[in-house]
Amino acid sequence: MQVSENELKTFILDSGLVSRKDVEEAEAKAHASQAAVAAAAVEGADTANGKGKGKDTNGASSLMDDEPQRAQSLGDVLVTEGLLSSDALRRIQGYVLGIPFVNLKDSKIPLEVLSLIPEPIARKYNIIAFKKNADSLEVAMLDTQDLPAIDSVKKKTGLNIMVRLTDEESIKHSLVQYQKSLKEEFGDLITKETKNLKLVKEDGEQALSGDDLKKMAEDLPIVRIVDTLLRHAIIQGASDIHIEPMEEQVLVRYRIDGILHDAMTLPKEATAGIIARIKVLSNLKLDEKRLPQDGRFKMETETDKVSFRVSLLPTYYGEKVVMRLLRETGEGFTLEALGFHGASLELMHDSMKQTTGIILISGPTGSGKTTTLYTVLDILNTPDVNISTVEDPIEYQMKRVNQTQVNPAIGFTFANGLRALLRQDPNIIMVGEIRDGETASLAINAALTGHLVLSTIHTNSAAGAIPRLIDMGIEPFLLVSTLRVIVGQRLVRRLTDSKEAYTLDKVEREKVCKEEYFEAVLKALTDEKLVKAGTKVDSLPFYHPKPGSASEDGYKGRIGIHEVLRVSPAIKELVLHGGITDAIQEQGRKEGMLTMLEDGIYQASRGVTSVEEVLRAIKD
């Protein structure tokens, strides 16, 4: 059942939520939209029947091939014009149709009820199960007319579905409860399975043969514990899992948004079985405990396909396991989504239009360098170019890109791989990392011979990459001939929507950094028209987590802060005359580059992150 336009108009006018003039103007726009769509449909039908196949002056069909535009209703126009919020429109429609409204923002839904609708379905269709009766289930929805979603839930639960209307905040609050409930569920499962373990005493572990370890790895409680650990990490959004044997127990930690968190502890006696299970999954030697080992395996859940990169290292109390999670089903990024903006974004796009030279991404381990490289590659990946990569390891598979993984054990290094790539007629080459002088020299030669080269290097700043390459033995005149831009980056955690605004006075700003840095940030914000011209530094807003926010610490997800250094004529002169890192960076700032600290303050002023988080990320 739909709300008629007349019923909606009457109720809005009676309620006084929108003025009569605005309602009538919105109604006129809705009628115009509906008439245009109806006319297009008639024209399309005539064309399909062989009538009115008009051509434009170029001989092309006068009909567009795009999807037909959807007619706007009165409600659509009111929301688009900002005269009515989407939640308010839903409430009005629900009231007119007699559908009850429920507020779930302050509700704790029992796990057994919430889990009647799996999280992927709840998230996709914005539908939450919140109350179960004897033969019926009450669900809250944003779109109470979504009959396929309602029918799907009815078939899955076998219950009569009673639809209730809710708002976006209630849906967000309920979806967060899935994560908390799953934490509790996994904690209970691991506790239960740990009790079922066949305990192996420490003095007996050394005598276990490969066959004994294999049997232990196939023991049902061990299989369930490891499977639960992995699934828990995926749901938590972890990037790494650490399994650390200690004197009396095994500590499991997850790295979430760049910060390590204790996840759980397990009995010391479970160590052998858990590590054996991970070795079986990774196809590693079960009876090798004295040497480091590396492996990989994949796992699929209802919503994710994840590749685990496994590293085992012998320690005093046993083998420590670290697993890096690489999600293969994630959507492609854009430079804007990674945190690039304004002049730095333009500079990145300009450098990507070049057909020769080197684009270099610098930063420490875990700063998102590879993600930035893959994003650039994805943008450059068009049918008219041949892209080849040499990586260690291949972290994401890309269509139409020839990816090669190095294998030092058999002598296949970055340098050897790069030599081979140059015989493969590439236009664009991506070298996972420049680690030594030989690889750097080959990358320089590739750029000199007509290739665009993308790579990473481990330095603390963009300017620091140049002295680092010179230390590797690269001549300064070769660097100035090939380097196009150098990007320095770090990752900072994003603030959730639950945040508070505040301002910093001059004394507080001086504790963060020099006043000139804040002035540079203000200039960038003004140039990008994010603040009004004439705004003072004193009035710049900053944000920090609001106490009691939905996330445990007020942060969720990460974004990059960057400094994009263009190797300009002035910087080339500095390099040729032995300029040090500080001189190169200062020249970059004179030419308009925002340093990572300044870019971090920029993001903090926009409410993306906090000043404290920026200082934490760049403290080195």
Side-chain angles (χ1 to χ4, degrees), residues 488-499:
Q489 71 177 61
R490 296 287 192 282
L491 293 176
V492 294
R493 292 181 294 166
R494 284 178 175 272
L495 285 167
T496 64
D497 292 336
S498 183
K499 57 193 173 190

Side-chain angles (χ1 to χ4, degrees), residues 323-371:
M323 291 181 275
R324 168 66 56 89
L325 282 69
L326 304 167
R327 287 163 175 80
E328 298 182 0
T329 51
E331 296 180 0
F333 291 106
T334 63
L335 290 175
E336 292 88 341
L338 295 182
F340 289 92
H341 59 88
S344 64
L345 180 62
E346 290 178 20
L347 194 50
M348 287 296 292
H349 282 298
D350 288 344
S351 66
M352 288 157 53
K353 292 175 185 175
Q354 306 295 320
T355 55
T356 63
I358 298 176
I359 299 174
L360 206 55
I361 316 292
S362 70
T365 301
S367 60
K369 299 188 299 296
T370 303
T371 300

Side-chain angles (χ1 to χ4, degrees), residues 43 92 111 222-223 262 268 287 323 353 408 441 470 553:
E43 188 177 350
I92 292 169
L111 173 60
I222 286 291
V223 171
D262 287 3
K268 174 70 173 175
D287 54 356
M323 291 181 275
K353 292 175 185 175
S441 178
I470 293 173
D553 54 8

Side-chain angles (χ1 to χ4, degrees), residues 515-533:
E515 190 74 4
E516 63 185 87
Y517 286 16
F518 283 93
E519 294 287 352
V521 170
L522 180 59
K523 182 179 183 303
L525 289 166
T526 306
D527 291 345
E528 295 177 33
K529 295 182 171 56
L530 296 171
V531 299
K532 294 178 181 177

Side-chain angles (χ1 to χ4, degrees), residues 7 42 74 111 121-122 153 217 282 286 357 424 428-429 473 516 520 527 564 578-579:
E7 284 180 312
V42 171
L74 171 61
L111 173 60
I121 294 175
V153 173
S282 311
L286 286 169
Q424 290 282 311
I428 299 168
I429 295 170
E516 63 185 87
D527 291 345
V564 183

Side-chain angles (χ1 to χ4, degrees), residues 32-90:
S33 168
Q34 291 159 10
V37 171
V42 171
E43 188 177 350
D46 288 344
T47 301
N49 292 325
K51 302 175 185 176
K53 292 183 181 177
K55 301 281 183 179
D56 62 18
T57 54
N58 295 319
S61 171
S62 60
L63 292 176
M64 298 297 289
D65 292 330
D66 294 339
E67 294 257 338
Q69 187 177 4
R70 186 177 71 85
Q72 284 193 301
S73 65
L74 171 61
D76 294 334
V77 176
L78 289 171
V79 171
T80 303
E81 298 284 328
L83 299 169
L84 205 62
S85 70
S86 55
D87 279 340
L89 177 62
R90 283 192 205 96

